[in-house]
Amino acid sequence: MIGGNIQGVKDYLLKELENLFEEKIEKGKFLREDIILKIVEISTLINKEISIAIDRNGKILDINIGDSGSATLPKVEYKERKLCGIRIIHTHPNGNPKLSDVDISALIELKLDAISAIGINKDGKINGISMGFCKVQDNNILHEEYLSKNLSTVEDYNYLAKVQEIEKELRARNIDEDYKEYAILVGRESQESLDELKELASACDIETVHMILQKGSKIDKSFYIGSGKVIELARAKQIRAANLIIFDEELSGIQIRNLEDNIGCRVIDRTSLILEIFGRRARTKEAKIQVKLAELKYKGTRLIGFGTELSRIGGGLGNRGLGETKLELDRRKIKDEISNLKTELEKIKKIRGTQREKREKSNMGKISLVGYTNVGKSTLRNLIVKNYCKDNSNKTEDVFAENMLFATLDTTVRVVELKDKKEVAVIDTVGFIRKLPHDLVEAFKSTLEEVIFSDTLIHVVDSSSENLFKEISVVEGVLKELGCEDKPTILALNKTDKITEEKLLEIEEKLSTYETVRISAKENINVDLLLEKAIEKLPEDLRKVEYIIPYTDTSVSAYIHNNSSVLSEEYQNEGIYIVAMVDEKVYNKCRKYEK
């Protein structure tokens, strides 16, 4: 069966191509002239590329029709230290017989026996044919290309001997199959945004080899960037040996597909990259469900760009387009999965709500740590828990804190006991970032409800960051989206040990409208002061007090029950033992019963 873009191709031409499956090329010969002339004739008539895939026995395995610029390649089986056993011969209706960047990428990435391009001029005449082979150089797989003017020279080329030579090199040399991803970053907004994209890529073990910034407001519907820039990108990809292109903005499914077809390697956007990082970092069941939910929503609108694969490793060369029925099936499957995940999240949300209700009944103050990703929130949270957690067993229970973007995804709540026995809940949250995908904000809203229900926010910032003020603005934007912009907030200037006093004064002057506290979570500087300032902003001044109420004064016991939160009660010989969270009024009235 003929694959690819057969729309508009007359049935008799498709039949002629199907008949080629009955033909066979003599073993050892590279091509058969009459077969090539036939695909050249049909390619000229339909003005589309035609590719044929042939095994080493001369059997035609696949025939595919592309558009005027590319043909889809067949899937091939990976073989370690060997070529795949298939050669591709295809037409170039644009007249250029030289291998394109897409051709060369396919040759190396699929480890084809060979790839050949036939240039066809406007009159349907062959004006050249190229042959490309893999070659081993400095333990890397590169390519070499030969050009010829006529088919007969290529037809009798002893390509099997060439294949044996290449495979001997593959076996003899210690080829390190490099599965690392090398990316070119493409952006339109600013160099700062591209630099952050580089950090995001690094957090996903992707090495950035080049960055391209295109200024201008006009967005190309087909490629996002201009067609000239696409050509520049394809050349840069080849020169830099990149195998991944990452765009700093969201792309549509059509744009992803068009870019991959023209550049010859996998293309993803910023949202896809962030989703991948979130997928790797998620540890709890809730976080994993939230990430999966956001991922499905994102990919559900881009099925055409992802082909039959719905994972980041899918896509790229070798994937056929979906039929309409398969597309609808995939959409329905995604819709069902989203529904199931939402049901799971609702169950977890109810449990979280029950836990929150218990804290609210206890009148316990709630302080949330918010901020840009990688500013030190988790380090600060770990320090607070270590110094103040009422349960000693929790002192060693650290949240993962590393110098990387999105080290923490899971919201954690810990009750800490301060020096005056007052208890507060300290909540650590996922870090925010510029252009944080809306689907992720939506998916994580159940987790971020802890922020919504908090009494006070500690907005942690990296005072040493060159983008400090932009990062503050991004966090405030997300808080506004959550409806938390008016909550009492303290700006914690973290990492002050990394900058000079002069720089700190300059920052504080620019942030004069904020209440700020200089801290260093790493060096344990001013953390006590920060907590004191945060507690001052709690709506009620509560403290934990232990009482012994004589049985002759049971009315006092009733008063405490009616006007405070009783944590525990026990009937002892000398009276009623009560532990309660009380405000200043209750504390003063019952002070003589304090244990």
Coordinates of all heavy atoms in Angstrom, one line a residue, residues 353-386:
G353 N -8.6 18.9 51.9 CA -9.6 19.8 52.5 C -9.9 19.4 53.9 O -10.0 20.3 54.8
T354 N -10.0 18.1 54.2 CA -10.2 17.6 55.6 C -9.1 18.0 56.5 O -9.3 18.5 57.6 CB -10.4 16.1 55.6 OG1 -11.5 15.8 54.7 CG2 -10.7 15.6 57.0
Q355 N -7.8 17.8 56.0 CA -6.7 18.2 56.8 C -6.6 19.7 57.0 O -6.3 20.1 58.1 CB -5.4 17.8 56.0 CG -5.2 16.3 55.9 CD -4.1 15.9 54.9 OE1 -3.7 16.6 54.1 NE2 -3.7 14.6 55.0
R356 N -7.0 20.5 56.0 CA -7.0 21.9 56.2 C -8.1 22.4 57.2 O -7.8 23.3 58.0 CB -7.3 22.6 54.8 CG -7.1 24.1 54.9 CD -7.0 24.7 53.5 NE -8.0 24.3 52.6 CZ -7.8 23.6 51.5 NH1 -6.6 23.2 51.1 NH2 -8.8 23.2 50.7
E357 N -9.2 21.7 57.2 CA -10.3 22.0 58.1 C -9.8 21.8 59.6 O -10.2 22.6 60.4 CB -11.5 21.2 57.8 CG -12.4 21.7 56.7 CD -13.5 20.7 56.3 OE1 -13.8 19.8 57.2 OE2 -14.0 20.8 55.2
K358 N -9.1 20.7 59.8 CA -8.6 20.5 61.1 C -7.7 21.6 61.6 O -7.7 22.0 62.7 CB -7.8 19.1 61.1 CG -8.7 17.9 61.1 CD -7.9 16.6 61.1 CE -8.7 15.4 60.9 NZ -7.9 14.2 60.9
R359 N -6.8 22.1 60.7 CA -5.9 23.2 61.0 C -6.7 24.5 61.3 O -6.4 25.2 62.2 CB -4.9 23.4 59.9 CG -3.9 22.3 59.8 CD -2.7 22.8 59.0 NE -3.0 23.2 57.6 CZ -3.1 22.3 56.6 NH1 -2.8 21.1 56.8 NH2 -3.4 22.8 55.4
E360 N -7.8 24.7 60.5 CA -8.6 25.9 60.7 C -9.4 25.8 62.0 O -9.5 26.8 62.7 CB -9.6 26.0 59.5 CG -8.9 26.5 58.2 CD -9.8 26.4 57.0 OE1 -10.9 25.9 57.1 OE2 -9.3 26.9 55.9
K361 N -9.8 24.6 62.4 CA -10.5 24.5 63.7 C -9.6 24.8 64.8 O -10.0 25.2 65.9 CB -11.1 23.1 63.8 CG -12.4 22.9 63.0 CD -12.9 21.5 63.1 CE -14.1 21.3 62.2 NZ -14.6 19.9 62.3
S362 N -8.3 24.5 64.6 CA -7.4 24.7 65.7 C -6.9 26.2 65.8 O -6.1 26.6 66.6 CB -6.1 23.8 65.5 OG -5.4 24.3 64.4
N363 N -7.5 27.0 64.8 CA -7.1 28.4 64.7 C -5.6 28.6 64.5 O -5.0 29.6 64.9 CB -7.5 29.2 66.0 CG -9.0 29.4 66.0 OD1 -9.7 29.5 65.0 ND2 -9.6 29.3 67.2
M364 N -5.0 27.6 63.9 CA -3.5 27.6 63.7 C -3.2 28.6 62.5 O -3.9 28.5 61.5 CB -3.0 26.2 63.4 CG -1.5 26.1 63.3 SD -1.1 24.4 62.9 CE -1.6 23.5 64.3
G365 N -2.3 29.4 62.7 CA -1.9 30.3 61.6 C -1.2 29.6 60.5 O -0.5 28.5 60.7
K366 N -1.4 30.0 59.3 CA -0.8 29.3 58.1 C 0.0 30.3 57.3 O -0.5 31.4 56.9 CB -2.0 28.8 57.2 CG -2.8 27.7 57.9 CD -4.0 27.3 57.2 CE -5.1 28.4 57.2 NZ -5.7 28.6 58.5
I367 N 1.3 29.9 57.1 CA 2.3 30.8 56.4 C 2.7 30.0 55.2 O 3.3 28.9 55.3 CB 3.5 31.1 57.3 CG1 3.0 31.9 58.5 CG2 4.5 31.9 56.5 CD1 4.1 32.1 59.5
S368 N 2.6 30.5 54.0 CA 3.0 29.9 52.8 C 4.3 30.5 52.2 O 4.4 31.8 52.2 CB 1.9 29.9 51.7 OG 0.9 28.9 51.9
L369 N 5.2 29.7 51.8 CA 6.4 30.2 51.1 C 6.1 30.1 49.6 O 5.8 29.1 49.1 CB 7.6 29.3 51.4 CG 7.9 29.0 52.9 CD1 9.1 28.1 53.0 CD2 8.2 30.4 53.6
V370 N 6.2 31.3 49.0 CA 6.0 31.3 47.5 C 7.2 32.0 46.9 O 8.0 32.6 47.6 CB 4.7 32.1 47.2 CG1 3.5 31.4 47.7 CG2 4.8 33.6 47.6
G371 N 7.3 31.9 45.6 CA 8.4 32.5 44.9 C 8.7 31.9 43.6 O 8.2 30.9 43.2
Y372 N 9.6 32.5 42.9 CA 10.1 32.0 41.6 C 10.8 30.7 41.8 O 11.3 30.4 42.9 CB 11.1 33.0 41.0 CG 11.1 33.1 39.5 CD1 10.1 33.6 38.7 CD2 12.2 32.5 38.8 CE1 10.1 33.7 37.4 CE2 12.3 32.6 37.4 CZ 11.2 33.1 36.7 OH 11.2 33.2 35.3
T373 N 10.9 29.9 40.8 CA 11.6 28.6 41.0 C 13.1 28.8 41.2 O 13.7 29.8 40.7 CB 11.4 27.7 39.7 OG1 12.1 26.5 39.9 CG2 12.0 28.4 38.5
N374 N 13.7 28.0 42.1 CA 15.1 28.0 42.4 C 15.6 29.3 43.1 O 16.7 29.8 42.9 CB 15.9 27.8 41.1 CG 17.3 27.3 41.4 OD1 17.6 26.6 42.4 ND2 18.3 27.7 40.5
V375 N 14.7 29.8 44.0 CA 15.2 31.0 44.8 C 15.5 30.6 46.2 O 16.0 31.4 47.0 CB 14.1 32.1 44.8 CG1 13.9 32.6 43.5 CG2 12.8 31.5 45.4
G376 N 15.3 29.3 46.6 CA 15.7 28.8 47.9 C 14.5 28.6 48.9 O 14.7 28.5 50.1
K377 N 13.3 28.4 48.4 CA 12.1 28.2 49.2 C 12.3 26.9 50.0 O 12.0 26.8 51.2 CB 10.9 28.1 48.4 CG 10.5 29.4 47.8 CD 9.1 29.3 47.1 CE 9.0 28.2 46.1 NZ 10.0 28.3 45.0
S378 N 12.7 25.8 49.3 CA 12.8 24.5 50.0 C 13.9 24.5 51.0 O 13.8 23.8 52.1 CB 13.0 23.4 48.9 OG 11.9 23.3 48.1
T379 N 15.0 25.2 50.7 CA 16.1 25.3 51.7 C 15.6 26.0 52.9 O 15.9 25.6 54.1 CB 17.3 26.0 51.1 OG1 17.7 25.3 49.9 CG2 18.5 26.1 52.1
L380 N 14.9 27.1 52.8 CA 14.3 27.8 53.9 C 13.3 27.0 54.7 O 13.4 26.9 55.9 CB 13.6 29.1 53.4 CG 12.9 30.0 54.4 CD1 13.9 30.5 55.5 CD2 12.2 31.1 53.8
R381 N 12.5 26.3 54.0 CA 11.5 25.4 54.6 C 12.2 24.3 55.4 O 11.8 24.1 56.6 CB 10.6 24.8 53.6 CG 9.6 23.8 54.1 CD 10.1 22.3 54.0 NE 9.1 21.4 54.4 CZ 9.4 20.2 54.8 NH1 10.7 19.8 55.0 NH2 8.5 19.3 55.2
N382 N 13.2 23.7 54.9 CA 14.0 22.7 55.6 C 14.6 23.2 56.9 O 14.6 22.6 57.9 CB 15.1 22.0 54.7 CG 14.5 21.2 53.6 OD1 13.3 20.7 53.7 ND2 15.2 20.9 52.6
L383 N 15.1 24.4 56.8 CA 15.8 25.1 58.0 C 14.7 25.4 59.1 O 15.0 25.1 60.2 CB 16.5 26.4 57.5 CG 17.2 27.1 58.6 CD1 18.4 26.3 59.2 CD2 17.7 28.5 58.0
I384 N 13.6 25.9 58.6 CA 12.5 26.2 59.6 C 12.1 24.9 60.3 O 11.9 24.8 61.5 CB 11.3 26.9 58.9 CG1 11.8 28.3 58.5 CG2 10.1 27.0 59.9 CD1 10.7 29.0 57.6
V385 N 11.9 23.8 59.5 CA 11.4 22.5 60.1 C 12.5 22.0 61.1 O 12.2 21.5 62.2 CB 11.1 21.5 59.0 CG1 10.9 20.1 59.6 CG2 9.8 22.0 58.2
K386 N 13.7 22.1 60.7 CA 14.8 21.6 61.5 C 14.9 22.3 62.8 O 15.1 21.7 63.9 CB 16.2 21.7 60.7 CG 17.4 21.2 61.5 CD 18.6 21.4 60.7 CE 19.9 20.9 61.4 NZ 21.1 21.1 60.7

